[in-house]
Amino acid sequence: MPIITINHLHETEPRWFAVHTRSKSEKFVQRLLTKKGIHAYVPLQRLMRRYTRSTRIVEKPLINCYVFVQIVKREYVPVLETENVSGFIRFNKELIAI
């Protein structure tokens, strides 16, 4: 029985994929990908943090260790080569678009 591989990367149509990153580097990875011209998205939540002498509003990632990218096939390797990127999220070793 032949092995069927599913790869949702497309030559011309950008599709969304989830990328796993190192802990606490989601916004950093997003900046690096944006500099490369790759559309990257990190959902953020605004939280109020109280410190001894002040209160600050901080933006934390809603989903830790993940960045979402909208890419075409030629942008796959540049995403993997980005600092602090561990790899794409796969299901049964198959690259699936979200």
Side-chain angles (χ1 to χ4, degrees):
M1 204 162 125
I3 297 173
I4 300 171
T5 59
I6 300 170
N7 186 343
H8 284 191
L9 281 171
H10 196 267
E11 296 288 338
T12 57
E13 179 188 336
R15 295 184 179 165
W16 286 99
F17 294 93
V19 177
H20 192 265
T21 66
R22 288 184 55 201
S23 180
K24 300 186 190 308
S25 64
E26 301 88 355
K27 290 196 255 182
F28 176 70
V29 168
Q30 180 187 22
R31 279 194 306 273
L32 291 177
L33 290 170
T34 303
K35 283 182 183 177
K36 291 182 177 185
I38 296 170
H39 186 236
Y41 175 69
V42 176
L44 299 172
Q45 59 182 337
R46 298 182 100 188
L47 301 170
M48 186 178 296
R49 293 287 187 221
R50 296 177 197 268
Y51 299 102
T52 307
R53 295 180 182 224
S54 66
T55 302
R56 291 188 181 160
I57 294 178
V58 295
E59 290 186 332
K60 296 267 190 177
L62 188 63
I63 306 168
N64 292 330
C65 299
Y66 290 96
V67 174
F68 300 95
V69 294
Q70 188 177 25
I71 61 169
V72 293
K73 196 171 194 171
R74 65 179 162 73
E75 295 171 323
Y76 176 78
V77 174
V79 170
L80 286 176
E81 292 174 340
T82 304
E83 187 179 346
N84 293 339
V85 169
S86 302
F88 282 85
I89 302 304
R90 297 172 179 271
F91 298 100
N92 295 330
K93 298 183 182 177
E94 307 294 342
L95 187 62
I96 306 289
I98 298 174

